[in-house]
Amino acid sequence: MDAILNSINGVIWSRALIGLCLGVGLYFSIRTRFMQIRGFGEMLRLMVGGQKSDAGVSSWQALSISLSGRIGVGNIAGIATAIAFGGPGAIFWMWVMAFLGASTSYIECTLAQIYKEKDEKGLYRGGPAFYIEKGLGNKWFAWVFAIATVLACGVLLPTVQANGIASSMHNAFGLAPGYSALIMATLLAFIIFGGVRRIAVFSEWVMPFMAAGYVLAAIVIMALNFEKVPRMFALIFNSAFGAEAAYGAVIGLAVEWGVKRGIYSNEAGQGTGPHSAAAAEVSHPAKQGYVQAFSIYFDAFLICTATAFIILNTEMYNVIRPTGGMIVERLPGVEPGVGFVQAGIETNFPGFGAAFVAIAILFFAFTTLVAYYYMAETNIAFINRKIHRPWAMQALRVAMVAAVVYGSVRTAANAWTLGDIGVGLMSWLNLAAILLLQKPAIQALKDYEAQKKAGLDPTFDPDALKIANATLWSDRVRAQQSVAIK
């Protein structure tokens, strides 16, 4: 089974996907005239604005759900793995992927807003499956993405998060993986049976506090070891381009692992962020595009960078030679992953590292599990639009609980392989879709900027922009015009 999974992963995560992710990010950066730089102030302003409604959540809640999906085990164990296999230079390429990926996130999340719908409960639903069907007019492609997302978010990706929680709790407190699985399954059921509003409230309160505490720990460690900071940055940049002799053997892997783990953690282009973006109540689709572009910065430049700095600043890491053996071995016998971060914190706070990282992973990973369920649920809702299949939602819940149990008791290597397959499969499908369907998102950006320049609070009229099948927005404009006439 392991050999089969590794073979599938090798095909999906070929260097073609690495190049595609970087190329698409660069292309959309140019197409949007680097909106991730020009629009940074607007991102901050819109992030805390907006109000929730009976149909949708606020911009902040949508951002919180999105960040819950982005911030997980990948931000801790994933970054440690990137350093182990790609060297310190992998962090530079992670930053590059985040910078370029912000524009990709804008495109996919704006498309999700343009083509969102209301479900039978009157709540907003949207995502790649919706914009593929309505924007591209391709039903079979939309169904393929929906099924792939249910498989990835409902079965494959949860194994990584569950494994991270179980492993860290066992290392820190000696808690058997089976008990971790039972606790996670119980808590997850309570949250997911409450629907999108309970998910939004949970994410809104938990995500900011857990992220702030983790970043604060990294800042404290940096301050305590400030004399090492210049050397750390030099190591990252030199290793990224092969200028550091010790890491010349892994320069290609630095790019590969930096991009691979960057995509896993920030999810730009993967197609997960659009699901929560579509749930927001906004007056113009570009507003949520700006907010979700900022989420990439938050994930990569705060949380992932905090992990990297804890590891590199304390010099608690191993780098594995591609042909076998070690280039650097400062932690003999420690597998790539959370152990690097735990050792880094232990060097400054003895007896505290294992417990702190375990608690951080518990919050990071559990909120990610909740967000994954919402994404899978949205795609079940897409599949159920024409023919109601009540068993499908129940099957999803059972499958996800089973995945949590399975991931808790399997090895980390197996869990990561399953997670990588899920991320790669969604990325291939979504990147192809947004390349084909980019024009409406670009039009929305130009329209938003023109209205802002005129001193208006932008509103969206798809008919005026000749954007077809944005029915929810078209109906809203007609309703407003009807009221105005009366």
Side-chain angles (χ1 to χ4, degrees):
M1 178 60 75
D2 291 352
I4 294 174
L5 290 176
N6 287 329
S7 297
I8 295 172
N9 192 33
V11 172
I12 293 176
W13 270 106
S14 65
R15 294 197 173 181
L17 181 55
I18 303 293
L20 180 63
C21 292
L22 287 170
V24 168
L26 177 60
Y27 172 72
F28 283 136
S29 294
I30 295 171
R31 286 282 282 143
T32 61
R33 294 171 294 120
F34 289 90
M35 61 78 59
Q36 64 265 56
I37 299 175
R38 296 185 301 105
F40 187 75
E42 190 70 359
M43 294 177 196
L44 296 177
R45 188 185 70 81
L46 292 170
M47 181 177 63
V48 295
Q51 299 294 323
K52 62 183 179 181
S53 68
D54 292 338
V57 300
S58 68
S59 291
W60 173 253
Q61 287 178 322
L63 175 64
S64 297
I65 296 174
S66 176
L67 285 173
S68 295
R70 299 183 200 277
I71 300 174
V73 171
N75 298 81
I76 299 179
I79 301 307
T81 304
I83 292 171
F85 293 106
I91 303 307
F92 171 83
W93 293 106
M94 178 198 73
W95 289 336
V96 171
M97 188 63 241
F99 173 73
L100 297 177
S103 64
T104 305
S105 183
Y106 165 81
I107 295 291
E108 62 182 353
C109 292
T110 300
L111 288 172
Q113 267 287 329
I114 291 173
Y115 296 105
K116 68 183 179 181
E117 298 179 356
K118 283 186 178 180
D119 64 13
E120 69 278 1
K121 296 180 181 179
L123 300 176
Y124 293 139
R125 293 282 189 181
F130 293 82
Y131 59 66
I132 289 170
E133 183 184 89
K134 300 180 75 174
L136 292 178
N138 195 320
K139 292 185 178 180
W140 71 263
F141 189 4
W143 268 70
V144 168
F145 184 89
I147 293 170
T149 304
V150 172
L151 176 64
C153 293
V155 179
L156 300 179
L157 290 168
T159 61
V160 178
Q161 308 301 322
N163 183 271
I165 293 174
S167 299
S168 62
M169 297 303 284
H170 178 71
N171 293 338
F173 307 112
L175 186 66
Y179 289 115
S180 293
L182 178 62
I183 295 169
M184 277 187 281
T186 302
L187 292 175
L188 185 64
F190 172 75
I191 299 295
I192 64 180
F193 276 86
V196 65
R197 296 194 183 283
R198 186 175 291 175
I199 292 170
V201 171
F202 177 79
S203 301
E204 178 183 27
W205 284 100
V206 173
M207 183 279 299
F209 290 106
M210 69 178 187
Y214 190 70
V215 172
L216 179 61
I219 292 172
V220 170
I221 289 174
M222 291 277 284
L224 292 174
N225 300 276
F226 68 91
E227 73 282 355
K228 297 181 181 179
V229 171
R231 166 61 182 158
M232 180 190 70
F233 278 104
L235 183 65
I236 291 172
F237 287 102
N238 289 338
S239 301
F241 298 99
E244 192 80 16
Y247 301 106
V250 294
I251 181 172
L253 293 173
V255 179
E256 180 177 337
W257 281 93
V259 173
K260 187 176 181 179
R261 286 292 170 254
I263 294 170
Y264 191 97
S265 64
N266 67 50
E267 301 184 1
Q270 183 182 323
T272 51
H275 296 94
S276 56
E281 181 67 75
V282 291
S283 65
H284 196 288
K287 288 186 174 182
Q288 192 57 205
Y290 274 100
V291 170
Q292 294 298 331
F294 177 79
S295 71
I296 305 298
Y297 288 160
F298 190 98
D299 174 273
F301 292 112
L302 283 180
I303 309 301
C304 291
T305 299
T307 297
F309 285 178
I310 289 172
I311 294 171
L312 297 176
N313 189 259
T314 58
E315 300 182 346
M316 291 290 103
Y317 61 95
N318 302 326
V319 178
I320 301 170
R321 191 179 298 277
T323 55
M326 295 284 181
I327 295 174
V328 172
E329 186 175 18
R330 297 190 176 94
L331 295 170
V334 177
E335 293 293 321
V338 297
F340 291 8
V341 187
Q342 289 173 327
I345 296 176
E346 287 283 344
T347 60
N348 291 278
F349 304 102
F352 181 68
F356 176 80
V357 173
I359 293 171
I361 286 180
L362 173 63
F363 283 108
F364 283 171
F366 188 77
T367 53
T368 300
L369 285 172
V370 172
Y372 282 162
Y373 172 77
Y374 173 69
M375 296 167 199
E377 180 191 73
T378 296
N379 285 275
I380 291 290
F382 172 83
I383 292 170
N384 281 345
R385 288 184 308 164
K386 307 299 183 187
I387 301 175
H388 187 54
R389 303 172 180 85
W391 55 267
M393 204 68 75
Q394 299 302 325
L396 169 63
R397 289 164 180 158
V398 172
M400 191 159 188
V401 170
V404 166
V405 174
Y406 178 83
S408 299
V409 298
R410 295 296 291 174
T411 65
N414 285 330
W416 275 104
T417 301
L418 289 171
D420 281 343
I421 291 172
V423 170
L425 186 61
M426 290 179 66
S427 297
W428 272 113
L429 294 170
N430 186 59
L431 289 171
I434 62 177
L435 281 171
L436 293 170
L437 186 63
Q438 57 184 277
K439 185 177 178 181
I442 301 297
Q443 287 177 296
L445 178 62
K446 292 179 179 178
D447 178 59
Y448 182 86
E449 291 178 337
Q451 291 189 55
K452 285 290 294 181
K453 189 175 181 180
L456 303 173
D457 180 15
T459 57
F460 185 62
D461 182 355
D463 296 334
L465 299 176
K466 294 182 172 54
I467 297 175
N469 295 324
T471 51
L472 188 147
W473 291 96
S474 295
D475 292 345
R476 179 184 293 183
V477 171
R478 293 190 190 101
Q480 291 171 344
Q481 291 173 342
S482 177
V483 171
I485 292 172
K486 292 179 181 179

